[in-house]
Amino acid sequence: MSEPVFDMHPTATPEVIAERQALAERVCRELRRAGLPVHRGDLSGGPHSRPGADVHVAPFIEGGVYVDWSADAELRDEALDLFAQGIDYSNPPPVVSRHNAVLQHIQAALLGILTSAGFEVEEPDRHGHGSMCPCSCDENAVAGPEDARATLAVTRRIRPVEGAPSFTAPSPSQTTEKSSMSSSPSIYAFIDGGDVPVPPDMELVRAVLGPHAVGDPQLTVSEDGSLRFWIRASDGSEAEISADETGILVERPDTGGVFAIVAELVAKLEAVIIDPSTGRAVCRTEERAQLPASMQEEAIVIDMTGNALEAALSGPTYRAPQ
């Protein structure tokens, strides 16, 4: 008898995955700003049973960015144990009803929070989402109307979030007219062609950005260890930068000298910066060799200076000599 053949879902290209990682990072940032517990189960490699929001990237072509909310084990496990034993759907036990009600209310709240932050959000097909991304469903859940988690799919960022940063920053200079990029590039470090970025050196991030920070220093480090900086260059150009274990987001940087600060950070981290409009990596020659093979060909190789980096990210036709 021949061995069974499993039809594996084809994976997306590294460029698409990089775009999803950048989107997932923005989702995490907005949920944290709302005060919610957030983690990245797909990057931790551990069990996906922690309470709170699990933001993860499905690597398949038909995958995307998903937000799963899990209740605390005290409520979740008791409800699922009863459900596994069999229940009367017309009159479920109180703890099962309570668990379902919590997930329904949380799902509605997550939908409202992310939509207000400018994301396009929808409820995914439960069967398709579960089959493509095993980590999206609690392994102890039993198929049926009661689910272990509330799940949403985030397809894209449809508009920038307007308003002041989440920490106290001084008013921008009134004497310098500035323009900002409409996109927000992300910084990632790769090693030996691996598809998953490695966590950034947070102490190095603080060392590079700290001297340029103009926000409240007491609010730089969050309780979960993530960092937020509002930085300003000598010419008055500014950017908000957030960093956690998944990577670094440079939120709509102003044109000008702030790119020199970003370039210094990229170089010292031995990282690459992803152009969100094209999905291409901008990097030095030595970091290009660390990229996944499919990203290397389209990478833009530059001397990592502020002027070169700004040109690479601002002009769609710019391509430095390889």
Side-chain angles (χ1 to χ4, degrees):
M1 182 180 294
S2 61
E3 294 293 328
V5 177
F6 296 96
D7 183 17
M8 300 299 291
H9 293 280
T11 57
T13 64
E15 292 88 348
V16 171
I17 292 176
E19 292 178 2
R20 292 176 184 173
Q21 293 285 3
L23 179 61
E25 185 177 345
R26 293 186 178 98
V27 170
C28 287
R29 177 174 177 271
E30 292 302 332
L31 292 178
R32 289 193 185 100
R33 293 176 71 178
L36 299 176
V38 184
H39 58 280
R40 291 289 304 274
D42 56 340
L43 299 183
S44 67
H48 309 296
S49 59
R50 292 168 56 185
D54 177 6
V55 179
H56 58 92
V57 171
F60 308 106
I61 289 178
E62 296 182 358
V65 177
Y66 297 97
V67 182
D68 290 337
W69 182 276
S70 180
D72 187 79
E74 181 180 356
L75 174 63
R76 181 188 67 238
D77 292 351
E78 184 178 358
L80 293 178
D81 287 345
L82 286 174
F83 181 65
Q85 295 170 20
I87 63 172
D88 179 0
Y89 294 125
S90 64
N91 185 28
V95 68
V96 174
S97 298
R98 171 64 173 164
H99 180 250
N100 292 339
V102 167
L103 295 187
Q104 291 172 8
H105 288 302
I106 286 291
Q107 184 163 13
L110 290 173
L111 178 64
I113 290 170
L114 292 175
T115 301
S116 69
F119 295 97
E120 188 175 86
V121 187
E122 61 187 22
E123 183 177 354
D125 175 75
R126 296 179 182 180
H127 301 290
H129 175 52
S131 64
M132 290 190 297
C133 186
C135 69
S136 68
C137 299
D138 190 295
E139 61 183 6
N140 297 317
V142 179
E146 281 75 20
D147 290 319
R149 296 185 172 192
T151 300
L152 292 173
V154 184
T155 55
R156 62 185 177 124
R157 183 80 170 269
I158 58 178
R159 64 179 184 273
V161 180
E162 301 297 336
S166 57
F167 51 83
T168 303
S171 301
S173 171
Q174 300 299 316
T175 59
T176 305
E177 184 176 350
K178 298 172 290 186
S179 60
S180 301
M181 292 183 62
S182 60
S183 60
S184 300
S186 299
I187 300 171
Y188 297 105
F190 293 87
I191 295 180
D192 297 332
D195 289 338
V196 179
V198 299
D201 184 335
M202 302 295 268
E203 290 301 320
L204 185 55
V205 173
R206 295 180 67 176
V208 173
L209 299 182
H212 307 285
V214 292
D216 185 346
Q218 299 298 319
L219 300 178
T220 296
V221 183
S222 300
E223 291 184 0
D224 60 2
S226 61
L227 304 177
R228 295 178 184 174
F229 289 92
W230 187 265
I231 63 170
R232 179 179 298 160
S234 58
D235 66 353
S237 58
E238 302 174 341
E240 184 179 357
I241 300 179
S242 55
D244 59 24
E245 62 181 10
T246 66
I248 301 170
L249 178 67
V250 184
E251 189 80 7
R252 290 173 292 160
D254 294 334
T255 58
V258 75
F259 276 93
I261 302 173
V262 176
E264 179 187 2
L265 179 62
V266 174
K268 289 191 173 180
L269 288 173
E270 298 180 350
V272 305
I273 187 164
I274 304 296
D275 182 347
S277 64
T278 64
R280 293 158 67 180
V282 181
C283 59
R284 301 181 301 182
T285 301
E286 48 266 52
E287 278 73 54
R288 182 182 183 224
Q290 303 296 323
L291 287 168
S294 58
M295 293 183 68
Q296 292 185 20
E297 182 178 354
E298 292 298 317
I300 299 175
V301 179
I302 64 171
D303 292 329
M304 193 55 67
T305 66
N307 289 337
L309 179 59
E310 183 175 354
L313 294 175
S314 300
T317 60
Y318 178 88
R319 190 175 181 86
Q322 304 291 312

